[in-house]
Amino acid sequence: MVVSDSQDKMYYPPEDLRKDAHVPDSNSYLALYKKSLENPEAFWKEVAEEFFWKKPVTGPVQQYNFDVTKGSIYIKFMEGAKTNICYNVVDRHVREKNLGEKVAFYWEGNSPDHYMTITYSQLLGQVCRCANVLKQLGVKKGDRVSIYLPMIPELVYTMLACARIGAVHSIVFAGFSSESLCERIIDAQSSVLVTADGVYRGEKLINLKQIVDEALEKCKEKASSSINRCLVVKHHALKTKSGAASNKLQTPWDSECDVWWDEVMRDSPEECEPEWMDAEDPLFILYTSGSTGKPKGVLHTVAGYLLYTSLTFKYVFDYHHDDVYWCTADIGWITGHSYIAYGPLANGATNILFEGVPVHPHVGRFWEIIEKYKVTKFYTAPTAIRLLMKYGREPLQKYNLSSLRILGTVGEPINPEAWQWYHEVVGQGRCPVVDTFWQTETGGHVLTPLPAATPLKPGSATLPFFGVEPTILNEHGEELEGEAEGYLCFRRPWPGIMRTVYRNQERFENTYFKKFPGFYITGDGCRRDKDGYYWITGRIDDMLNVSGHLMSTAEVEAVLTEHPAVAEAAVVSRPHKVKGECLYCFVTLKDSREFTHTLVEELKKLVREKIGPIATPDFIQNAPALPKTRSGKIMRRILRQIARNEKDLGDLSTLADPKVVEVLFSQRFEAA
Ligand code: PRX
């Protein structure tokens, strides 16, 4: 790979990658990009030809309104066409492409002793059986099914089974607490919940069924629970050698509601006619943090999501039939939905489904798996790279990583040091690093390099994908030309963009379209450089990005103030070597309450229980008072600077009591 001498180091695509690449050079990229914007109808129609349509589109391919001043926001792609996404990502390969014997998934368990292979034919059989089971449990087209499963094949079977019968899946990451699960079940009004008895995450055994039962109990307290049946997978890897379930796990059971997966799957038929869906019928809901604290149910629909995840997967990872692709995300997040499930399967790819964590049972686990399956395309998060960097080169040197051709990152800005390490040490200088910027809301990559076409600059997500028209706006909503920094927005939809916030169109419009009429606002700050490359500078709202997971400060503050000792709380982000950002919390206690180590531990536990371990605060500082304006608004900017030890606080004249700042500074935590 050639490195230019210019100020921004450029990394050019390796020649051998260009030979058979889908988009072999920057001119091809530019020509296709131009076509996608100038003639989106023709562009997306051509993409759609790859797929099976029970009824082809007859009207316009895209229709939308992005301007709140002109009426309600809507986005439609291929409306009126009929298809089924499950048919397209599974049956089509078996029935039309003769790929039945091809491996769809290598499942690799938490322990290296547990693994299995699933071909496309086997996947089809299991998905159909599961679809019939769901029907038997009363699930109909349009019903919601909540899924709270670890990274086991049953998770993929269930989501595809939902898609097959037209049910809307709502997957909840199995690291979320019972409270978070309950909130998501109530919002989605799901009738069936699919879970497992338990799972090992690293060394830790987690009793999922117990968490589920607590969640359902909470649902009953808060509203009448919508869940009629709970389908429970017995996690086979938890069985002891003698075949009995691990005695460490007590599975609570309610025979009126609970059903064992194995028992109902056994007799379930392997044939199930797909439900033919309208292109704009809902496919899934996935909850993402909102700045008010309450998670938003991001809704994606059938056809646009299929076209977009399929095309981005094919081009961004330059997918070829003999590839072995691995994305280390969890399907509980959008990255797993789009780039473990739908995108790779739409292309008939061979994929790895990994249940474990990067450092169990040893810190070379990722590299061991790459060697074992001869992974060619590898997609992970900056936080994982930073974690593994800590152990140096040695764990990698034990394994053969020569199969790797392309590396990808997602979830947060990647710092140049981590980028270099990924490129030099993991990719041995051979593999382009595609830094993909996108969101739960965008459905797929929106700013991203194409590996054979885009010269790379470490830390930049580079250029827009086909059909995507980014722009940078200033505070007044004016579009900035050339080199500029401001709000990252998009001027028009692409097929994979969300359609609404589930049951809350108003929130959808207020969050993404109100601030700048005519534009979708991402919530991220962004700089465009002289070459037109985009650099994400981080969130500009009250959101934090911890280990690639978005969360809102308001959500954590609300939990902290639930504690009887806490009068007020303010949460800000502080940079963290591995997680990118971490939570730094200021709490003001009620009179007579004492700030003790025990209290700090209680508060951390409370957040962990209410939201989940990913939201556990790193720092909780006693704040006898918080810096506020005369009108009583907390000045978060100052708290952020205190957390980061930035002494130059600028203008403090709007503060009601400037002395507060000195006190807080004197008690701040030094670097961990
Ligand atoms: O702030 C951006 C950051 O993650 C946010 C989206 O989070 P979520 O919806 O959870 O989806 C994460 C996986 C797609 C964005 O608003 N983000 C994501 N990818 C990048 C990024 N920031 C910088 N560079 C990226 N490549």
Side-chain angles (χ1 to χ4, degrees):
M1 197 175 273
V2 187
V3 180
S4 84
D5 294 331
S6 73
Q7 202 185 8
D8 286 327
K9 259 192 180 179
M10 287 268 218
Y11 289 73
Y12 290 94
E15 272 313 311
D16 63 330
L17 199 71
R18 293 189 138 155
K19 283 200 291 279
D20 59 355
H22 296 299
V23 186
D25 50 47
S26 62
N27 285 339
S28 327
Y29 161 74
L30 288 173
L32 266 176
Y33 181 65
K34 192 160 173 262
K35 179 175 172 187
S36 75
L37 293 194
E38 285 177 357
N39 195 349
E41 296 277 319
F43 183 90
W44 293 112
K45 237 181 192 156
E46 230 167 84
V47 175
E49 276 168 17
E50 174 69 22
F51 299 104
F52 175 80
W53 302 90
K54 189 76 176 171
K55 182 175 164 234
V57 65
T58 45
V61 169
Q62 65 166 41
Q63 302 167 71
Y64 69 93
N65 172 38
F66 247 34
D67 188 343
V68 273
T69 63
K70 296 198 176 126
S72 191
I73 302 294
Y74 65 88
I75 300 133
K76 294 172 180 171
F77 277 82
M78 320 275 296
E79 201 189 27
K82 289 219 178 287
T83 188
N84 182 287
I85 193 167
C86 176
Y87 181 91
N88 274 294
V89 306
V90 190
D91 305 43
R92 192 169 57 91
H93 304 306
V94 178
R95 298 190 203 288
E96 300 173 21
K97 304 222 150 178
N98 210 12
L99 292 178
E101 296 315 305
K102 187 173 180 188
V103 174
F105 286 105
Y106 291 113
W107 177 72
E108 176 80 15
N110 180 63
S111 151
D113 297 337
H114 298 138
Y115 50 88
M116 69 186 279
T117 297
I118 303 149
T119 64
Y120 274 91
S121 292
Q122 290 167 335
L123 181 62
L124 177 59
Q126 295 295 334
V127 169
C128 287
R129 282 181 159 183
C130 179
N132 287 320
V133 165
L134 292 176
K135 282 190 190 170
Q136 205 190 318
L137 296 179
V139 179
K140 294 183 297 300
K141 179 179 173 184
D143 289 352
R144 276 80 51 219
V145 173
S146 289
I147 305 175
Y148 187 70
L149 280 171
M151 286 285 284
I152 51 179
E154 289 82 353
L155 171 52
V156 181
Y157 305 155
T158 310
M159 69 194 293
L160 294 177
C162 288
R164 190 170 195 87
I165 63 171
V168 180
H169 58 75
S170 166
I171 301 181
V172 180
F173 171 59
F176 270 126
S177 64
S178 58
E179 186 89 19
S180 301
L181 175 59
C182 158
E183 193 174 14
R184 286 157 175 76
I185 290 172
I186 291 179
D187 191 77
Q189 298 176 334
S190 301
S191 57
V192 166
L193 174 62
V194 186
T195 189
D197 48 358
V199 64
Y200 269 103
R201 199 163 287 133
E203 299 284 322
K204 201 168 162 212
L205 179 61
I206 298 159
N207 190 331
L208 291 174
K209 181 62 170 52
Q210 195 178 324
I211 298 173
V212 158
D213 281 15
E214 283 164 19
L216 294 182
E217 210 38 57
K218 286 184 177 133
C219 287
K220 279 185 202 142
E221 281 163 24
K222 290 190 185 180
S224 62
S225 172
S226 53
I227 299 287
N228 302 319
R229 307 308 292 266
C230 181
L231 184 58
V232 188
V233 177
K234 200 170 275 170
H235 192 325
H236 291 276
L238 296 187
K239 282 184 185 163
T240 57
K241 288 222 169 71
S242 66
S246 165
N247 56 11
K248 287 191 203 143
L249 198 72
Q250 297 285 328
T251 305
W253 202 256
D254 168 359
S255 51
E256 299 235 315
C257 173
D258 300 336
V259 191
W260 281 115
W261 170 283
D262 280 353
E263 285 174 14
V264 279
M265 283 288 277
R266 201 177 302 136
D267 304 323
S268 184
E270 278 206 359
E271 300 277 316
C272 175
E273 172 71 10
E275 185 78 39
W276 298 106
M277 309 289 288
D278 189 277
E280 279 301 332
D281 276 337
L283 172 64
F284 68 83
I285 304 166
L286 183 58
Y287 288 87
T288 184
S289 296
S291 52
T292 59
K294 193 174 150 29
K296 300 181 288 253
V298 170
L299 185 89
H300 285 284
T301 55
V302 173
Y305 183 78
L306 168 66
L307 297 188
Y308 201 70
T309 52
S310 170
L311 195 74
T312 44
F313 176 77
K314 176 174 165 186
Y315 285 157
V316 173
F317 299 108
D318 192 38
Y319 170 70
H320 288 83
H321 265 288
D322 51 357
D323 273 326
V324 178
Y325 161 85
W326 181 22
C327 166
T328 66
D330 191 292
I331 289 183
W333 309 108
I334 191 69
T335 306
H337 279 62
S338 301
Y339 299 112
I340 297 177
Y342 292 107
L345 293 176
N347 284 274
T350 294
N351 201 333
I352 291 170
L353 190 65
F354 177 51
E355 182 186 39
V357 294
V359 292
H360 175 81
H362 56 80
V363 300
R365 188 77 195 277
F366 273 12
W367 324 126
E368 183 180 54
I369 294 174
I370 291 174
E371 177 184 274
K372 177 173 174 188
Y373 297 105
K374 300 193 172 53
V375 172
T376 55
K377 313 280 161 82
F378 179 62
Y379 192 28
T380 194
T383 184
I385 299 167
R386 289 192 297 264
L387 171 74
L388 295 169
M389 266 170 81
K390 288 204 306 195
Y391 303 102
R393 288 169 183 255
E394 204 217 354
L396 289 101
Q397 283 162 348
K398 293 189 196 145
Y399 301 99
N400 181 352
L401 306 184
S402 64
S403 56
L404 288 172
R405 307 255 293 161
I406 291 167
L407 304 173
T409 85
V410 56
E412 56 184 306
I414 182 163
N415 47 314
E417 196 194 352
W419 196 100
Q420 301 287 359
W421 192 83
Y422 198 27
H423 182 253
E424 301 310 323
V425 181
V426 181
Q428 298 160 345
R430 274 182 288 112
C431 309
V433 174
V434 288
D435 177 354
T436 61
F437 167 83
W438 58 296
Q439 307 177 298
T440 306
E441 294 87 337
T442 69
H445 308 139
V446 282
L447 299 178
T448 177
L450 300 185
T454 318
L456 306 171
K457 297 185 190 187
S460 168
T462 74
L463 300 169
F465 189 74
F466 305 129
V468 173
E469 198 181 359
T471 181
I472 294 181
L473 268 59
N474 66 14
E475 187 56 47
H476 311 292
E478 294 153 352
E479 283 190 79
L480 305 175
E481 303 290 327
E483 281 182 69
E485 185 163 346
Y487 294 87
L488 176 65
C489 296
F490 296 106
R491 305 178 104 236
R492 57 161 99 192
W494 55 93
I497 191 174
M498 71 186 288
R499 300 303 195 257
T500 190
V501 171
Y502 186 61
R503 295 199 300 135
N504 203 341
Q505 172 75 10
E506 193 184 345
R507 190 167 180 205
F508 173 56
E509 297 188 1
N510 287 343
T511 310
Y512 305 104
F513 294 96
K514 196 105 182 233
K515 188 171 174 77
F516 300 129
F519 301 92
Y520 166 89
I521 182 167
T522 57
D524 284 292
C526 185
R527 178 168 72 81
R528 186 172 45 220
D529 71 14
K530 60 182 190 327
D531 299 319
Y533 275 43
Y534 291 88
W535 301 74
I536 304 296
T537 53
R539 298 293 303 186
I540 37 185
D541 47 17
D542 288 333
M543 305 283 267
L544 276 102
N545 193 323
V546 179
S547 300
H549 302 309
L550 263 199
M551 57 192 74
S552 80
T553 51
E555 195 177 359
V556 181
E557 285 163 6
V559 173
L560 291 171
T561 47
E562 273 179 35
H563 191 285
V566 175
E568 199 168 23
V571 177
V572 296
S573 79
R574 165 158 149 170
H576 186 282
K577 272 211 169 85
V578 172
K579 302 183 200 177
E581 289 181 353
C582 69
L583 292 155
Y584 194 110
C585 312
F586 294 89
V587 293
T588 306
L589 300 186
K590 290 183 183 153
D591 284 349
S592 81
R593 302 304 288 248
E594 217 182 316
F595 190 82
T596 58
H597 178 70
T598 318
L599 175 67
V600 168
E601 289 311 308
E602 274 174 32
L603 291 172
K604 287 187 179 174
K605 186 161 165 260
L606 191 63
V607 176
R608 214 168 23 241
E609 279 171 8
K610 294 275 172 171
I611 306 177
I614 47 169
T616 310
D618 280 61
F619 302 96
I620 298 182
Q621 179 177 338
N622 184 23
L626 291 168
K628 290 185 181 170
T629 60
R630 278 171 236 279
S631 61
K633 199 169 166 337
I634 297 173
M635 291 190 72
R636 284 163 200 285
R637 167 181 72 81
I638 293 176
L639 291 175
R640 215 172 290 133
Q641 287 175 297
I642 294 170
R644 291 162 192 229
N645 203 17
E646 292 166 5
K647 294 263 163 53
D648 183 12
L649 292 181
D651 179 17
L652 296 183
S653 61
T654 51
L655 271 183
D657 178 7
K659 280 206 283 307
V660 169
V661 175
E662 244 167 75
V663 176
L664 291 181
F665 247 118
S666 68
Q667 296 179 2
R668 71 176 288 283
F669 288 94
E670 293 306 323

